[in-house]
Amino acid sequence: MSYLRTYKGKAVLVALNMSGSPQRATFNLADKGFGSANLKSLVATPNSSAKGTDVTLEPFGVFIAEVSK
């Protein structure tokens, strides 16, 4: 499960892996006005990471990030 919430030019990205297998989520942030977005990790389980707009999650992993332009 993953989603992006925006409010007045700011955004929070949330990605949750509720399975026992590693998962990857890809986001198209340009659709929300964040074409050159930077992700700043706020909460992440070990070995969960983001490269650009791709988030890699370990089994039962969590990744929450602040999105800025």
Side-chain angles (χ1 to χ4, degrees), residues 26-64:
T26 301
F27 297 89
N28 184 353
L29 301 176
D31 288 350
K32 301 290 185 180
F34 292 89
S36 58
N38 296 312
L39 301 179
K40 176 184 170 190
S41 176
L42 300 174
V43 176
T45 53
N47 299 318
S48 294
S49 63
K51 290 185 181 176
T53 57
D54 290 332
V55 176
T56 302
L57 296 163
E58 290 295 312
F60 307 105
V62 174
F63 185 83
I64 302 173

